[in-house]
Amino acid sequence: MTTFPSGGECGDIIDWFDDVAERAGTVQTETLRTILEANHRVEYLKKWLKDVNVNEMESRLYRYRLGDVVQVSGFYRNTPKLSFVCRRKLILTVNIDKNTEKDLQSVVEKGSQILHKTKKAELIDFTSHASVAHQPGHYVIYWEIKGEADGQLLSECCTEMDASFVDPGYVVSRKSSSIGPLELRIVEEGTFEKIVEHFIGIGAGLNQFKTPRCTTNPVLLKILDACTVKKIRSTAYGSS
């Protein structure tokens, strides 16, 4: 159970806050459970919870972060319903383009459909990076796949993803060559497990860490690049 500082110096409060921040998921679950247990069967809560058995309930709250991009998708009475769009910093952009995590997810799904049609390979996990080390900059998408996929098939997947971005800024920039062809990098099996193990090893909680879909983290990129076994470039927009 979470305890609150009853007094003392400012340092006690700071230490308490740091502890809570590190255990955000656990604290949220404990707090919700405490509220429900203290008020269960009260008429107001019964109206909302019906016959929920609190003792069998395992809460899973989505943990929004300061700066997350959300959209009001509707209202429940006077309360707005929020729909998660993306993390503020998790946006692919090189030029005037701006593609969110949701856009990337849609593009990867289209590319992976081609992969899955062969029934010989499947996508395990992915992430991406906007590379501006050389001009023109371009998107890099990392795939970990299970099974076999030849170069021709991966080229089709890569080109399909490149052509599936519908952001006007991206399309215009690709047509004018101010953004280079999308690059698909295949990493060896177990790469994303290595990433999780690394961040857990430096203090991240197992239930708290999730590999970002777009990243600029140099350590994460170093692991991905070290584990890359194939590189493919898109041929969309007349690229060669």
Side-chain angles (χ1 to χ4, degrees), residues 41-43 96 130 146 153 191 202:
R41 300 193 185 285
V42 174
E43 290 303 314
I96 59 173
K146 182 178 181 180
L153 177 62
T191 296
I202 60 175

Side-chain angles (χ1 to χ4, degrees), residues 202-239:
I202 60 175
L206 178 60
N207 295 327
Q208 300 292 317
F209 179 79
K210 177 184 176 183
T211 303
R213 293 309 183 196
C214 315
T215 185
T216 57
N217 187 303
V219 175
L220 196 155
L221 290 172
K222 184 176 181 180
I223 295 173
L224 289 166
D225 290 339
C227 295
T228 296
V229 293
K230 288 183 182 178
K231 296 181 180 181
I232 303 96
R233 282 282 192 149
S234 163
T235 57
Y237 301 100
S239 307

Side-chain angles (χ1 to χ4, degrees), residues 170-209:
Y170 184 80
V171 175
V172 169
S173 297
R174 283 290 287 114
K175 288 181 177 179
S176 64
S177 298
S178 52
I179 291 181
L182 182 144
E183 181 180 2
L184 174 61
R185 296 186 185 181
I186 306 300
V187 297
E188 61 189 21
E189 286 190 47
T191 296
F192 283 86
E193 288 184 6
K194 290 180 181 178
I195 291 172
V196 173
E197 290 172 357
H198 170 79
F199 284 96
I200 290 176
I202 60 175
L206 178 60
N207 295 327
Q208 300 292 317
F209 179 79

